Amino acid sequence: MKRTAITRRLAGLGGAKWDLHLRARELAAQCRDIIELTIGEPDVPTPPELVEAASDAMRQGRTAYSSGRGEAGLRRALAEHYTQRTGREIAADQVLCFPGTQTALFAVLLGVAEAGDEVLVGDPMYATYEGVIRACGATMVPVPLRPENGFRIAAADIAERITSRTRAILITTPHNPTGAVLTTEDLEAIGQLAQLHDLWIVSDEVYADLVFDGSSFRSPLSHSGLAERVIVASSISKSHAAPGFRSGWCIGPGEFTRNLLPLSESMLFGNQPFIADMTEKAVREGSSVASGMRDRFSARAALLTRRLADESRLAVHQPQAGMFAMVNVAATGMNGRDYALDLLNRAGVAVMPGTSFGATMTGWVRVALTIEDDGFNTACDRIIAHANAIREDVA
């Protein structure tokens, strides 16, 4: 039977990038002692008050069809939230609701690019970005994120890759996997390029509430001069420890969201009303768990940085935000994928190869900061012992 072009474009993407994580789960199911540091699962359960809000809404009959835009109360709450966050007036008709950031990004990319177009994105990148870009038929153009620039995407590197086919710049701030946070100056320089070349800026901001002390978050949506070309995607998955509820959104110019609505309705026709009610409560009241996660993730990143520097030849890029730290494993003489497989098989610690996030990360792995402190300390012990064993083997 014939396959469609989109299935060919997406071959090898999606779940294939998570094969090491899946292998770790298989070993754990065989009763192997595995410490899992692979995915960005919050280290606390969804707050009970949000679970109860969803349950109450279901009991009250909030299980009927939704508006294609999303429930009116949630869209008003998001408009008010982003008005306060950005200092710009954001209206409810600039909001579309989706089941999670992933779906929002999929729809948004279909709304800004198509076959023959190009989308610029930092390398490394979140593992699904290549898929959402390929899905719309566009070509992904990687922009190297340099360690010496703190892994922040640089306007000069973007400028070198803009062509007549470029339609959008996809940014992530705070960044996954590196934890970098773009500065106001970074965003202004990117915005100038977007204005000069008439480009969209798509900003994935799912980690905006997980910025560590000493850094501050700013969205390109705050820049009034970019009002007609910035689209933000986010969700409550990270900020409210609610990834399984799949509740996200995009915020963009009113004309863009109106034009995207038929696509959204063709895909989904809105999210579940009872989840929308829970999300409205989450947005209006803020997160009861974000500050604790920020403190714990920051402390674990500092611990990992200190211990690997003192006790091994591995080097950590200390993140400014998020749930992960990148570790440079080049000193082992192994590439990141071989290192991650060896670490899993010999030490029982599962981390993600850097190449799951881009071609520039051959000598790196991503370590999740999301397990409890005792387990994380044990993982550090194992990583250090494994690295030193490799050194002895080579010697």
Side-chain angles (χ1 to χ4, degrees), residues 143-146 149 152-159 182 186 189-190 193:
V143 180
L145 305 184
R146 306 180 190 280
N149 194 45
R152 302 190 329 272
I153 194 166
D157 291 329
I158 294 172
L182 295 181
D186 293 330
I190 294 168
L193 285 176

Side-chain angles (χ1 to χ4, degrees), residues 49-385:
E49 63 271 20
L50 296 186
V51 176
E52 189 59 31
S55 298
D56 283 348
M58 283 190 281
R59 285 191 288 266
Q60 293 167 19
R62 294 283 287 148
T63 56
Y65 285 119
S66 175
S67 162
R69 285 185 173 273
E71 293 297 287
L74 173 56
R75 290 191 295 111
R76 286 194 298 269
L78 286 165
E80 292 167 13
H81 172 74
Y82 279 90
T83 295
Q84 183 177 22
R85 169 172 277 182
T86 64
R88 288 183 47 228
E89 185 66 32
I90 304 296
D93 68 0
Q94 294 178 245
V95 181
L96 291 179
C97 297
F98 293 93
T101 312
Q102 181 65 35
T103 313
L105 286 171
F106 184 90
V108 167
L109 265 295
L110 283 170
V112 301
E114 58 191 349
D117 293 340
E118 295 175 346
V119 176
L120 306 183
V121 60
D123 182 351
M125 70 198 76
Y126 180 56
T128 67
Y129 285 177
E130 185 174 3
V132 295
I133 293 169
R134 282 198 199 178
C136 69
T139 299
M140 182 184 77
V141 179
V143 180
L145 305 184
R146 306 180 190 280
E148 61 269 25
N149 194 45
F151 287 112
R152 302 190 329 272
I153 194 166
D157 291 329
I158 294 172
E160 290 178 359
R161 291 160 178 83
I162 293 174
T163 72
S164 60
R165 294 180 294 174
T166 308
R167 295 293 175 266
I169 305 166
L170 172 55
I171 62 174
T172 319
T173 184
H175 189 255
N176 178 6
T178 68
V181 180
L182 295 181
T183 66
T184 299
E185 293 75 21
D186 293 330
L187 293 171
E188 288 176 351
I190 294 168
Q192 289 172 6
L193 285 176
Q195 291 171 316
L196 180 62
H197 298 279
D198 193 21
L199 305 178
W200 290 102
I201 298 174
V202 180
S203 185
D204 179 350
E205 299 177 359
V206 73
Y207 289 100
D209 289 331
L210 296 180
V211 177
F212 303 159
D213 288 346
S215 299
S216 58
F217 168 77
R218 186 171 175 83
S219 171
L221 197 63
S222 301
H223 196 311
S224 59
L226 302 176
E228 297 308 311
R229 64 181 69 253
V230 171
I231 307 155
V232 164
S234 193
S235 73
I236 61 169
S237 293
K238 310 299 186 182
S239 59
H240 291 76
F245 279 92
R246 312 309 302 140
S247 186
W249 54 84
C250 77
I251 312 286
E255 182 181 7
F256 175 82
T257 55
R258 285 193 297 274
N259 290 335
L260 196 68
L261 180 59
L263 170 63
S264 173
E265 290 172 330
S266 298
M267 291 171 59
L268 306 161
F269 226 102
N271 58 351
Q272 299 90 331
F274 61 93
I275 292 179
D277 292 351
M278 181 202 78
T279 307
E280 180 181 352
K281 177 181 176 70
V283 171
R284 290 193 182 280
E285 297 183 2
S287 174
S288 62
V289 295
S291 62
M293 286 193 288
R294 284 196 300 267
D295 291 345
R296 291 190 299 277
F297 299 158
S298 177
R300 289 171 194 152
L303 172 71
L304 182 70
T305 301
R306 183 176 66 254
R307 289 204 59 191
L308 295 195
D310 290 346
E311 302 174 53
S312 80
R313 296 180 299 159
L314 306 181
V316 178
H317 171 75
Q318 194 159 354
Q320 297 174 288
M323 297 180 166
F324 311 103
M326 296 302 296
V327 179
N328 187 326
V329 300
T332 66
M334 307 172 75
N335 64 46
R337 180 165 186 81
D338 289 345
Y339 168 88
L341 285 168
D342 199 62
L343 181 68
L344 176 62
N345 291 327
R346 294 174 61 184
V349 178
V351 299
M352 290 293 291
T355 49
S356 292
F357 308 99
T360 63
M361 303 305 285
T362 302
W364 296 73
V365 296
R366 189 189 75 173
V367 175
L369 306 168
T370 52
I371 67 168
E372 48 81 27
D373 291 344
D374 287 345
F376 194 78
N377 255 314
T378 301
C380 289
D381 292 339
R382 294 186 187 184
I383 291 169
I384 291 163

